Amino acid sequence: MAGDSECSSAAGGKDDLGERGEDTIGTKYKDVDELWGSELAGEEGRTNWYAGAADYWEARDATVDGVLGGYPETSGPDLRESRRFLELLQKTPGARRFERVLDCGAGIGRVTSGLLLDVFERVDLAEPNKKLIEAARAEITDPRAELFINEALQDVRPQADRYDVIWAQWVLLYLPDDDLCQFLQRCRSAIRPGGFICVKENVVLDGEWMVDKEDNSISRTDAQYKAIFDRAGLSLFHELKQACWPPDLVPVKMYALKVATEAQRVPLKRP
């Protein structure tokens, strides 16, 4: 397994993650080294970065409109395309039965109730905001939703060999690159043989990465995500762009990742 030092290099590195970017208040960065060096500096840097997201979500309503940032109309297309993606994975030769899934960044349980309980036999939910996870607990009465985990993703340690799929949607954008890499490494041991780690996130397909200072999130490029997946010891099995998406929003992509053995692992192209 890749170590913490390998993930630390994923926080920057001009040979792979060094594209230019900027934030929503106009600060421009020559590369992600400069971004994370600025945002995570000092003893309180990382704490302050995460506090920005925590404060943002504490102020949001525990509703579909609240968790989708005022775009509730995107929920239907989002769930339909996610279902199509999972169906494609189920149809691949040798695919294992979808028994248990972990919903990361579960919020009010929108994806669990609208999709995952239809596809899987058991669902666990992980969400850092207590208000949102308690709303999910109150709304979802299906006993097949088993664990409601109120914990920040950078601290979540999924139980070993428990899941057929780990589904992480619109939550990895809050993790600095090194914490994201380490989270994915921890997910590796939680996935049963033949299972998938599925990532669905805002992805910049044309242009530079962007940091949103309102909630301390980063919209990474496709190349940045793929480089981090590779650093975490994961191979890209399938990818799909979200269809029927408002043109004024950042595009969304889905990635299905598998644990890469040293024999299987082929380095992905660097940006």
Side-chain angles (χ1 to χ4, degrees):
M1 178 181 291
D4 285 352
S5 60
E6 192 166 353
C7 281
S8 295
S9 64
K14 297 175 179 56
D15 62 330
D16 53 13
L17 299 180
E19 301 166 308
R20 291 175 297 178
E22 61 181 307
D23 63 30
T24 50
I25 61 174
T27 306
K28 296 185 181 296
Y29 302 92
K30 63 183 179 181
D31 54 37
V32 290
D33 277 341
E34 186 176 19
L35 165 68
W36 298 126
S38 172
E39 292 290 348
L40 306 181
E43 294 183 1
E44 300 299 322
R46 196 175 299 266
T47 299
N48 292 337
W49 170 264
Y50 283 121
D55 291 345
Y56 174 85
W57 284 108
E58 190 58 35
R60 303 279 76 77
D61 291 335
T63 63
V64 171
D65 182 76
V67 299
L68 291 180
Y71 291 87
E73 68 277 9
T74 62
S75 185
D78 164 58
L79 295 173
R80 286 195 298 272
E81 286 294 285
S82 296
R83 187 182 300 271
R84 183 163 75 96
F85 189 68
L86 287 172
E87 288 173 349
L88 288 171
L89 297 182
Q90 284 181 305
K91 292 176 181 177
T92 57
R96 66 174 297 119
R97 183 179 174 184
F98 281 1
E99 295 179 351
R100 187 183 295 274
V101 61
L102 174 63
D103 182 1
C104 294
I108 61 173
R110 182 187 66 89
V111 175
T112 287
S113 58
L115 170 65
L116 300 179
L117 282 170
D118 293 339
V119 178
F120 295 86
E121 297 175 14
R122 298 285 186 274
V123 182
D124 295 340
L125 297 84
E127 164 58 42
N129 183 275
K130 185 176 181 179
K131 175 179 64 178
L132 298 183
I133 196 71
E134 290 304 320
R137 191 194 304 271
E139 180 69 22
I140 301 171
T141 58
D142 191 323
R144 296 179 300 127
E146 294 189 339
L147 300 180
F148 291 79
I149 304 164
N150 180 206
E151 192 169 20
L153 207 64
Q154 65 270 22
D155 299 321
V156 168
R157 283 166 171 73
Q159 182 179 323
D161 200 36
R162 180 174 174 86
Y163 300 106
D164 302 293
V165 170
I166 293 177
W167 184 271
Q169 177 170 350
W170 289 327
V171 65
L172 304 186
L173 72 171
Y174 296 108
L175 299 184
D177 294 351
D178 54 352
D179 282 350
L180 170 53
C181 180
Q182 290 167 26
F183 167 74
L184 292 172
Q185 287 183 338
R186 296 194 299 273
C187 288
R188 288 174 51 176
S189 63
I191 289 292
R192 295 168 179 167
F196 297 98
I197 298 170
C198 292
V199 169
K200 185 168 188 177
E201 291 288 344
N202 297 342
V203 178
V204 176
L205 300 178
D206 183 20
E208 300 175 347
W209 50 266
M210 173 67 70
V211 172
D212 190 337
K213 297 298 290 184
E214 183 180 17
D215 64 351
N216 280 4
S217 64
I218 177 170
S219 293
R220 295 177 171 92
T221 65
D222 180 67
Q224 284 176 305
Y225 269 116
K226 288 175 177 176
I228 294 173
F229 299 155
D230 187 50
R231 293 285 181 92
L234 298 167
S235 61
L236 180 62
F237 183 80
H238 190 54
E239 59 186 310
L240 187 69
K241 182 183 176 183
Q242 168 77 35
C244 302
W245 200 244
D248 58 324
L249 297 182
V250 178
V252 173
K253 281 194 70 174
M254 292 168 277
Y255 304 94
L257 310 170
K258 281 183 168 288
V259 176
T261 66
E262 291 306 311
Q264 294 171 328
R265 190 174 177 186
V266 177
L268 297 165
K269 287 185 177 181
R270 302 298 191 186

